Amino acid sequence: MHCGKYIKSQTVKLCIVVLHIDGIRSPLASRCYSHAKVETDEEFDARWVTYFSKPDIDAWELKKGMNTLIGYDLVPEAKILDSALRACRRLNDLASAIRILEAVKDKSGPHKDIYPYLIQELQPTLIELGISTPEDLGMDKL
Amino acid sequence: MLATRALSLVGKRAISTSICLRGGHGVAKVDDYNPLPDVQFVTELSAVQKSLKEKEKGSWATLSNEEKIALYRISFKQSFAEMNEGTKEWKSVIAGMFFFIGMTGLVVLWQRKFVYGPVPPTFESEWKEKEVQRMLDMRINPVEGFSAKWDYENKEWKK
């Protein structure tokens, strides 16, 4: 499971950030950090884009991937979502595509500017694949 | 490939992660917050729904909004908006609160009338006036407290 490894690397990253804010340049060896390799944001994104880009991805893998991704303490980048939406297209699953957009909006929580930004970034893909946003369908209202 | 598709729930991966194993539908722990559930909501498709599913294999741009919503409803019971909707329970709670506070108020009034005896004479205004005068005469707290606020020259409270 990637989950545990990611959470650990997040903690390590947080400590590193605090280190630099202090301006103290003590070497890592003097702190009690794990020596595991920290995955960068780019590596994380690339891994997930690759996951969803698998040409013969099946429905279970899509669900598992999305559920895991939504379980993380982050809002996925536009390129990961783009890859996931294209996976939905390969699986002929429009409902999941719309659901992914809903989930991402829900995931943003109080940060209301994330979702419009993502929709803006995904607009070419949405138009290309013919995916309507939940707002277009009136599904964001009750 | 066809076999795994047909038996997608019986397949090993699905069972190990399926909610059925952990307690059946309706388990509401946070780690079960899965936007894409294992089982689609409508398991038996009507003829209309089946033809819609066929249409889904083509270009999605040709689908009308109603068709897209119909496809969504086949897979999912509730939209996120419906799922996150609060209940109106808080109104009952507030109403209940006011009701019981009101009941308590009635009980208190009844008690005052029927349970408690009369209040001591020391609360009468005539008594209180004499009490205040006595305190002033005794110079109670003359520096910063009670008598300090009384103007002894003009026989009134200081402004």
Side-chain angles (χ1 to χ4, degrees), chain A residues 22-46:
Chain A
D22 281 346
I24 302 164
R25 300 241 148 213
S26 42
L28 279 169
S30 69
R31 299 288 176 105
C32 297
Y33 291 157
S34 135
H35 293 285
K37 182 173 172 298
V38 178
E39 186 182 51
T40 65
D41 287 346
E42 293 76 23
E43 286 166 349
F44 176 83
D45 292 345

Side-chain angles (χ1 to χ4, degrees), chain B residues 117-129 131:
Chain B
V119 142
T122 53
F123 283 91
E124 292 158 17
S125 50
E126 204 190 291
W127 187 292
K128 279 295 179 206
E129 282 171 24
E131 188 179 296

Side-chain angles (χ1 to χ4, degrees), chain B residues 1-146:
Chain B
M1 189 59 172
L2 274 168
T4 43
R5 245 184 234 284
L7 304 169
S8 64
L9 272 193
V10 185
K12 293 193 188 90
R13 290 181 305 180
I15 281 194
S16 68
T17 56
S18 125
I19 292 183
C20 295
L21 195 67
R22 280 181 284 169
H25 287 275
V27 180
K29 297 184 300 209
V30 175
D31 56 291
D32 285 341
Y33 166 60
N34 287 337
L36 298 179
D38 289 333
V39 192
Q40 76 180 26
F41 180 53
V42 178
T43 40
E44 317 230 327
L45 299 177
S46 72
V48 172
Q49 288 170 326
K50 280 186 186 145
S51 65
L52 194 54
K53 276 294 197 185
E54 283 302 312
K55 202 174 170 196
E56 199 185 10
K57 294 178 183 168
S59 166
W60 290 339
T62 61
L63 296 167
S64 71
N65 280 0
E66 287 73 29
E67 286 173 327
K68 289 180 181 175
I69 294 176
L71 280 167
Y72 184 95
R73 292 289 176 195
I74 289 173
S75 293
F76 306 112
K77 183 178 179 196
Q78 288 180 312
S79 70
F80 263 69
E82 289 158 3
M83 177 173 78
N84 291 335
E85 184 186 8
T87 64
K88 308 244 186 337
E89 197 194 0
W90 67 274
K91 293 181 189 174
S92 314
V93 171
I94 299 287
M97 275 170 60
F98 286 144
F99 175 75
F100 283 109
I101 290 172
M103 287 305 302
T104 311
L106 287 177
V107 169
V108 168
L109 290 176
W110 178 88
Q111 274 183 327
R112 278 202 191 152
K113 195 158 163 40
F114 293 107
V115 176
Y116 298 133
V119 142
T122 53
F123 283 91
E124 292 158 17
S125 50
E126 204 190 291
W127 187 292
K128 279 295 179 206
E129 282 171 24
K130 291 182 187 162
E131 188 179 296
V132 167
Q133 184 59 60
R134 185 159 181 269
M135 283 169 75
L136 290 172
D137 294 341
M138 283 198 287
R139 302 294 194 271
I140 296 290
N141 290 341
V143 181
E144 291 201 0
F146 192 75

Side-chain angles (χ1 to χ4, degrees), chain A residues 84-130:
Chain A
L85 292 174
R86 288 183 191 282
C88 290
R89 175 65 267 194
R90 291 198 293 286
L91 288 164
N92 298 322
D93 192 353
L94 174 63
S96 293
I98 300 172
R99 190 74 160 180
I100 288 172
L101 296 176
E102 278 189 307
V104 154
K105 182 178 182 189
D106 192 58
K107 202 65 194 159
S108 315
H111 304 281
K112 300 283 179 212
D113 46 347
I114 297 180
Y115 179 68
Y117 162 73
L118 284 172
I119 293 296
Q120 181 198 315
E121 293 291 306
L122 290 169
Q123 204 63 273
T125 308
L126 295 178
I127 294 172
E128 181 196 329
L129 300 178

Side-chain angles (χ1 to χ4, degrees), chain A residues 4-18:
Chain A
K5 186 172 141 205
Y6 183 77
I7 287 171
K8 193 163 58 169
S9 63
Q10 272 292 74
T11 323
V12 172
K13 242 192 283 186
L14 195 68
C15 296
I16 295 173
V17 168
V18 168

